Amino acid sequence: MEKNSAEIFVIVISSLLLETCGVDVLQNDNWNTNNFGSCINESTSCPPWSVCNARLDVCRCIQLSGDPVICKEVTQNRLTPYILDCNCITIDEDDNERQMVEVGKCDYNCARDQNNLDIVYQQLPDNMSDWNNFMCGEFHRTGSLCGKCDTDRDYYPRVYSFDMSCIKCNNSTTNWWKYILLAYVPLTALYLIVFFFKVDIHSSQLQGFIIYSQFLTIPALARNLLLSARHKPVILELVKLIGALYGIWNLDFFRTYDSGICFRMSFLEVLSLDLAVAMYPLLLMLFSCFLVTLHDQNFTLLKCLYKPFKMLFSKWQSNFAIKTSTVNVFATFLFLSNTKFFSICFDMLTPVKVHQFYSPLQVNSSWRLNYDPTIKYFSQQHRWYAIIALVITFVFIIIPLLVLLFYSIRVFHKFLSILPQRWQLFLHAFVDSLQGCYKDGTEPGTRDCRWFVPMLYFSRLVLMLIYSITLNAVYFPYGTIIITVFAIVTINVDPFKSSLKHLSSSMLVFILLTASFYVSAIGAVMAEEKGDTFTSYMFYLLTVAMSSLPLIYVVIIAIHWISRHLHLHNYFIRSRTTR
């Protein structure tokens, strides 16, 4: 049946809109992925990923921001679509009438071609019915933009992993034991070390190293680095090793390695498990506060249980105090958990725009959850997880940032006077633990530099926000700018007290190393986009080398710390024997 004049008029106007204003429009229902002869007067119209150019009377590719889909003319009667790397195009199998096409960003389609790692666009099959299997089948995924695991074949998201890939799941109790062993046992050990040995990361040479480690192993960034290196075996193993060593300071122990753990859970439920891991040290801190309260009230059983531990650790530290350790451990783990809270909350809240094309002449765009595009943003499936993420962001990120920012203001102290005296003392000790090593303006010729701590927290928040917006290598130039600004501020302000002036140079070195790492990553990505495999590989090796240097530094610090405590221990024993 021929199209009537009104329908042809609509097609012409729509096409002109596309060319002049960038409006996405589609054509009729009888789609042909190969032929693209006359598209106005013929019964066969353009496929949904293309549009009829009324002026030239031929099909042309739909134009979207970033050009995720392009078309190449193979012959005079064939138009072949290509999909941009790190993007997906799928057919909505639940809508057989309209056969809706969906296009959007997805991490699972990054660097998938093992034989051509520098490819930017991948050719799609001629038959549209094969697109879903082409895009998702290799990863055992299904749904919109390959958003969920193929649960019909018993595939579920990998737990305690950066890549969130889908694996065959047997749901045995062994998985729970492995998960507890990997996620909670090392974290408990780290908590006890920080608690009993009073490891203060804010007034030690470790601070710069930890900031460097956290910038390198932002979970969302580590996820994409592992995806990009998955076809480069040597680089991939080095990335895993370095990620495992640095990830400790983001409370991720050996997470870069394949643990093979899975439960029959959705992606959002897996993220909830990560939130529990981030909350765990703070819950341990609350439990420690409860024990300290019982100890202060001379609870007999607790005093008896605590006595051998006190004797053991007082041999290492003559001034061991359980109250001081409790405040210190809270400040330390709030700092360490902060990046993990950032990452998980942003994973739960980051949207992705999905373009939907279907006939006749209809285009739609909707916001979906980035790491599971099958879920509509803030829908019933997403709403409660989003609310939890917002509450955690406010309680553990925004409130501490505001407290640190306004604590030195007198008006803020008047506001705090409504709190019980015990809470005021605890808050003062907590803030002092974070800001105690910075200038407070009391030394002659110095200014108050305690704002440096909230600036440090805020910079990490900005970096996570930028990555959530870009979700690709564009993050590295922006990240380099933020880190460079941070370095300039550190040089000009010199925020640490005169007795701890060496911490400024240590902090600056690690900031510059982070910037160098990001610049190397930019070089690797640019070389890859130009198809220069050798240069890209060299930049990847340089990136790995730059990230390895601080490990030598931290080994030297560890040896110095152990020798110092052994010396103090021997001195303490000699002083006791002399008496």
Side-chain angles (χ1 to χ4, degrees):
M1 182 183 294
E2 293 187 357
K3 299 176 183 176
N4 56 44
S5 58
E7 187 173 354
I8 293 173
F9 175 76
V10 172
I11 293 174
V12 172
I13 296 300
S14 302
S15 302
L16 291 174
L17 282 172
L18 172 65
E19 292 184 16
T20 56
C21 304
V23 178
D24 302 328
V25 293
L26 296 176
Q27 302 311 312
N28 217 311
D29 45 0
N30 298 318
W31 300 324
N32 186 335
T33 59
N34 293 332
N35 298 326
F36 69 113
S38 176
C39 57
I40 296 180
N41 296 314
E42 296 291 333
S43 57
T44 301
S45 64
C46 299
W49 38 265
S50 63
V51 65
C52 182
N53 186 310
R55 183 161 52 87
L56 301 176
D57 195 18
V58 292
C59 295
R60 285 291 179 259
C61 230
I62 225 64
Q63 293 180 351
L64 298 171
S65 176
D67 293 327
V69 180
I70 63 170
C71 303
K72 294 183 181 179
E73 183 180 340
V74 180
T75 63
Q76 287 187 344
N77 63 348
R78 184 177 175 187
L79 196 66
T80 303
Y82 287 73
I83 185 72
L84 180 63
D85 197 38
C86 298
N87 284 263
C88 287
I89 181 169
T90 54
I91 308 296
D92 186 2
E93 297 173 339
D94 297 329
D95 193 347
N96 295 323
E97 294 182 3
R98 296 183 297 183
Q99 200 176 11
M100 183 167 61
V101 177
E102 297 178 310
V103 180
K105 286 187 177 182
C106 67
D107 291 334
Y108 318 111
N109 193 37
C110 292
R112 66 180 289 173
D113 193 340
Q114 187 172 357
N115 298 318
N116 188 0
L117 299 180
D118 304 311
I119 193 169
V120 178
Y121 283 91
Q122 304 162 34
Q123 182 177 342
L124 292 168
D126 290 335
N127 193 342
M128 289 173 58
S129 60
D130 295 332
W131 285 5
N132 283 16
N133 186 57
F134 172 78
M135 297 300 305
C136 313
E138 178 185 344
F139 310 111
H140 311 292
R141 289 181 169 272
T142 186
S144 176
L145 305 187
C146 311
K148 64 180 180 180
C149 295
D150 191 353
T151 54
D152 292 338
R153 293 194 295 155
D154 212 22
Y155 282 92
Y156 289 87
R158 194 188 301 271
V159 176
Y160 203 67
S161 169
F162 282 130
D163 60 11
M164 298 296 292
S165 56
C166 302
I167 58 174
K168 200 82 170 179
C169 193
N170 55 19
N171 201 29
S172 66
T173 54
T174 307
N175 282 334
W176 282 106
W177 287 112
K178 286 170 64 177
Y179 177 68
I180 292 170
L181 184 65
L182 279 175
Y184 287 95
V185 172
L187 190 51
T188 305
L190 179 64
Y191 178 88
L192 294 175
I193 290 170
V194 171
F195 185 83
F196 285 110
F197 290 101
K198 294 196 297 184
V199 178
D200 188 359
I201 64 173
H202 297 95
S203 59
S204 72
Q205 292 174 319
L206 279 177
Q207 186 178 20
F209 173 76
I210 290 171
I211 293 169
Y212 176 85
S213 302
Q214 291 186 329
F215 279 160
L216 256 63
T217 55
I218 294 173
L221 175 60
R223 187 178 299 129
N224 274 5
L225 288 175
L226 289 169
L227 279 170
S228 300
R230 63 183 171 184
H231 295 312
K232 302 179 178 74
V234 176
I235 299 294
L236 180 61
E237 291 305 315
L238 289 172
V239 168
K240 285 183 177 179
L241 176 61
I242 292 170
L245 294 173
Y246 287 131
I248 293 171
W249 303 106
N250 273 331
L251 308 183
D252 292 318
F253 295 85
F254 314 109
R255 192 168 179 172
T256 51
Y257 290 98
D258 180 14
S259 60
I261 302 174
C262 77
F263 308 121
R264 296 179 184 274
M265 293 182 173
S266 66
F267 170 76
L268 287 171
E269 289 171 334
V270 170
L271 280 181
S272 299
L273 289 180
D274 286 344
L275 271 182
V277 174
M279 291 286 294
Y280 177 66
L282 301 180
L283 294 175
L284 284 178
M285 190 278 304
L286 291 176
F287 181 67
S288 300
C289 288
F290 173 70
L291 293 181
V292 169
T293 303
L294 293 180
H295 179 271
D296 290 345
Q297 294 178 357
N298 295 319
F299 192 70
T300 307
L301 178 61
L302 185 64
K303 277 188 167 293
C304 294
L305 292 173
Y306 173 65
K307 189 171 291 185
F309 290 98
K310 184 178 180 180
M311 292 174 60
L312 176 65
F313 288 101
S314 61
K315 289 184 177 181
W316 283 86
Q317 299 193 90
S318 57
N319 60 342
F320 177 75
I322 191 170
K323 287 185 178 180
T324 307
S325 293
T326 304
V327 175
N328 180 69
V329 78
F330 178 72
T332 297
F333 277 99
L334 183 66
F335 185 81
L336 296 180
S337 298
N338 217 251
T339 304
K340 198 171 183 69
F341 283 133
F342 280 153
S343 177
I344 298 168
C345 292
F346 278 117
D347 282 351
M348 285 184 168
L349 294 171
T350 301
V352 63
K353 193 173 187 179
V354 179
H355 302 280
Q356 302 160 319
F357 313 121
Y358 49 90
S359 179
L361 296 170
Q362 292 187 40
V363 178
N364 189 24
S365 295
S366 62
W367 290 102
R368 309 283 184 87
L369 187 62
N370 180 67
Y371 292 104
D372 188 352
T374 62
I375 299 176
K376 290 184 178 180
Y377 201 77
F378 223 74
S379 63
Q380 188 174 1
Q381 288 177 278
H382 178 228
R383 187 176 300 120
W384 284 108
Y385 291 99
I387 291 172
I388 290 171
L390 290 170
V391 169
I392 287 176
T393 301
F394 181 74
V395 173
F396 293 104
I397 298 174
I398 303 300
I399 289 180
L401 184 63
L402 293 175
V403 168
L404 292 171
L405 187 62
F406 296 113
Y407 192 78
S408 58
I409 300 175
R410 290 183 180 180
V411 177
F412 187 72
H413 279 273
K414 290 182 179 179
F415 173 75
L416 292 178
S417 62
I418 62 175
L419 295 175
Q421 186 69 22
R422 184 184 181 89
W423 284 100
Q424 290 184 45
L425 293 173
F426 180 84
L427 185 62
H428 177 74
F430 162 69
V431 174
D432 187 63
S433 178
L434 293 174
Q435 298 181 339
C437 58
Y438 296 95
K439 296 173 183 175
D440 56 5
T442 57
E443 296 178 354
T446 62
R447 292 172 294 179
D448 190 347
C449 296
R450 287 175 292 180
W451 51 264
F452 194 83
V453 178
M455 190 190 76
L456 178 60
Y457 276 79
F458 184 71
S459 65
R460 295 192 298 173
L461 177 62
V462 170
L463 283 172
M464 283 300 303
L465 184 61
I466 290 173
Y467 189 81
S468 297
I469 293 172
T470 57
L471 290 173
N472 53 35
V474 178
Y475 160 79
F476 287 110
Y478 290 114
T480 304
I481 293 170
I482 297 296
I483 292 167
T484 303
V485 171
F486 194 75
I488 293 171
V489 172
T490 305
I491 293 170
N492 286 281
V493 173
D494 190 16
F496 293 94
K497 291 179 178 178
S498 56
S499 59
L500 299 169
K501 199 164 186 175
H502 60 284
L503 296 183
S504 292
S505 56
S506 174
M507 173 84 74
L508 182 61
V509 167
F510 281 110
I511 292 171
L512 294 177
L513 280 172
T514 307
S516 302
F517 174 86
Y518 279 23
V519 170
S520 301
I522 293 169
V525 171
M526 291 178 66
E528 236 179 43
E529 289 179 352
K530 292 180 179 179
D532 190 344
T533 308
F534 177 77
T535 305
S536 171
Y537 204 84
M538 289 298 102
F539 267 113
Y540 272 118
L541 286 177
L542 178 62
T543 303
V544 171
M546 293 298 297
S547 60
S548 304
L549 288 175
L551 294 174
I552 302 171
Y553 172 85
V554 80
V555 168
I556 295 172
I557 292 295
I559 294 171
H560 176 264
W561 185 86
I562 292 171
S563 61
R564 179 172 172 271
H565 277 75
L566 285 173
H567 175 74
L568 291 174
H569 172 59
N570 294 330
Y571 175 79
F572 182 62
I573 291 176
R574 285 197 302 269
S575 63
R576 288 182 65 180
T577 53
T578 305
R579 291 175 189 174

